[in-house]
Coordinates of all heavy atoms in Angstrom, one line a residue:
T1256 N -10.6 -15.9 1.4 CA -10.1 -17.3 1.5 C -11.0 -18.2 0.7 O -10.5 -19.1 -0.1 CB -10.0 -17.8 3.0 OG1 -9.1 -16.9 3.7 CG2 -9.6 -19.2 3.1
V1259 N -10.5 -17.7 -3.1 CA -9.2 -18.3 -3.6 C -9.4 -19.8 -3.7 O -9.0 -20.5 -4.6 CB -8.0 -17.8 -2.8 CG1 -6.8 -18.6 -3.2 CG2 -7.8 -16.3 -2.9
S1273 N 6.4 -20.1 0.8 CA 6.6 -19.7 2.2 C 5.2 -19.7 2.9 O 4.2 -19.6 2.2 CB 7.3 -18.4 2.3 OG 6.6 -17.4 1.6
L1277 N -3.3 -17.1 4.3 CA -4.5 -17.1 3.5 C -4.5 -18.1 2.4 O -5.5 -18.8 2.1 CB -4.8 -15.7 2.9 CG -6.2 -15.5 2.2 CD1 -6.7 -14.1 2.4 CD2 -6.1 -15.8 0.7
G1352 N -1.0 -3.5 -14.1 CA -2.1 -3.9 -15.0 C -1.6 -4.9 -16.0 O -2.5 -5.4 -16.8
A1365 N 19.4 0.1 -6.5 CA 20.7 0.2 -5.9 C 20.6 0.9 -4.5 O 21.3 0.6 -3.6 CB 21.7 1.0 -6.7
M1383 N 4.7 -19.9 -15.3 CA 4.5 -21.3 -15.7 C 3.2 -21.9 -15.3 O 2.8 -22.8 -16.0 CB 5.7 -22.1 -15.2 CG 7.1 -21.6 -15.5 SD 7.4 -21.7 -17.3 CE 7.5 -23.4 -17.6
R1385 N -0.7 -22.8 -14.5 CA -2.0 -22.7 -15.2 C -2.8 -21.5 -14.9 O -3.3 -20.8 -15.7 CB -2.8 -24.0 -15.1 CG -4.1 -24.0 -15.8 CD -4.7 -25.5 -15.8 NE -4.6 -26.1 -14.6 CZ -5.5 -26.1 -13.6 NH1 -6.6 -25.4 -13.8 NH2 -5.4 -26.7 -12.5
R1410 N 3.7 -12.5 -16.0 CA 3.0 -13.6 -16.7 C 3.6 -13.8 -18.1 O 3.5 -14.8 -18.6 CB 1.5 -13.3 -16.7 CG 0.6 -14.5 -17.2 CD 0.6 -15.6 -16.3 NE -0.5 -16.6 -16.6 CZ -0.7 -17.8 -16.1 NH1 0.2 -18.2 -15.2 NH2 -1.7 -18.5 -16.4
W1411 N 4.0 -12.7 -18.7 CA 4.6 -12.6 -20.1 C 3.5 -12.8 -21.1 O 3.1 -11.9 -21.7 CB 5.7 -13.7 -20.2 CG 6.4 -13.7 -21.6 CD1 6.8 -12.5 -22.3 CD2 6.7 -14.8 -22.4 NE1 7.4 -12.9 -23.5 CE2 7.3 -14.3 -23.6 CE3 6.5 -16.1 -22.3 CZ2 7.7 -15.1 -24.6 CZ3 6.9 -17.0 -23.3 CH2 7.5 -16.4 -24.5
E1416 N -4.3 -18.7 -26.4 CA -3.6 -19.2 -27.6 C -2.2 -18.8 -27.6 O -1.3 -19.6 -28.0 CB -4.3 -18.6 -28.9 CG -3.8 -19.2 -30.2 CD -4.0 -20.7 -30.3 OE1 -5.0 -21.2 -29.8 OE2 -3.1 -21.3 -30.9
R1418 N -0.3 -18.4 -25.0 CA 0.4 -19.3 -24.0 C 0.6 -20.7 -24.6 O 1.7 -21.2 -24.4 CB -0.4 -19.3 -22.7 CG -0.4 -18.0 -22.0 CD -1.0 -18.1 -20.6 NE -0.4 -19.1 -19.7 CZ 0.7 -18.9 -19.0 NH1 1.3 -17.7 -19.1 NH2 1.2 -19.8 -18.3
P1427 N -6.0 -17.9 -16.7 CA -6.1 -16.5 -16.5 C -5.2 -16.0 -15.3 O -4.6 -16.8 -14.6 CB -7.6 -16.4 -16.1 CG -7.8 -17.7 -15.3 CD -7.0 -18.7 -16.1
E1449 N -14.6 -8.8 -12.2 CA -15.5 -10.0 -12.2 C -16.6 -9.9 -11.2 O -17.8 -10.2 -11.5 CB -14.7 -11.2 -11.9 CG -15.5 -12.5 -11.8 CD -14.8 -13.7 -11.3 OE1 -14.1 -14.4 -12.1 OE2 -14.8 -13.9 -10.0
V1455 N -19.7 -3.2 -1.5 CA -18.7 -2.4 -2.1 C -19.2 -1.8 -3.5 O -19.8 -2.6 -4.2 CB -17.4 -3.2 -2.4 CG1 -16.4 -2.4 -3.2 CG2 -16.8 -3.7 -1.1
V1460 N -13.9 0.5 -6.3 CA -12.8 -0.3 -6.9 C -12.0 0.4 -7.9 O -10.8 0.4 -7.9 CB -13.5 -1.6 -7.5 CG1 -12.4 -2.5 -8.1 CG2 -14.2 -2.4 -6.4
G1465 N -4.8 1.5 -9.5 CA -3.9 2.4 -10.2 C -3.7 2.1 -11.7 O -3.0 2.8 -12.4
E1469 N -11.6 -2.8 -17.0 CA -12.8 -2.9 -17.8 C -14.0 -3.2 -16.9 O -13.9 -4.0 -16.0 CB -12.7 -4.1 -18.8 CG -13.9 -4.4 -19.6 CD -13.8 -5.7 -20.4 OE1 -12.7 -6.1 -20.8 OE2 -14.8 -6.3 -20.7
T1481 N -20.2 -20.0 2.7 CA -21.3 -20.8 3.2 C -21.1 -21.2 4.7 O -20.0 -21.0 5.2 CB -21.4 -22.2 2.4 OG1 -20.2 -23.0 2.7 CG2 -21.5 -21.9 0.9
R1508 N 0.1 -5.6 15.0 CA 0.5 -7.0 14.6 C 1.3 -7.7 15.7 O 1.1 -8.9 15.9 CB 1.4 -7.0 13.4 CG 0.6 -6.9 12.1 CD 1.4 -7.1 10.9 NE 0.6 -7.4 9.7 CZ 1.1 -7.8 8.6 NH1 2.4 -8.1 8.4 NH2 0.3 -8.0 7.5
S1510 N 1.0 -7.5 19.0 CA 0.1 -8.0 20.1 C -0.8 -9.1 19.5 O -1.1 -10.1 20.3 CB -0.7 -6.9 20.7 OG -1.5 -6.3 19.6

Side-chain angles (χ1 to χ4, degrees):
T1256 299
V1259 173
S1273 56
L1277 189 145
M1383 304 293 292
R1385 179 165 45 88
R1410 189 69 166 167
W1411 182 46
E1416 189 58 35
R1418 289 186 62 78
E1449 178 189 270
V1455 176
V1460 176
E1469 176 185 332
T1481 66
R1508 279 191 165 192
S1510 60

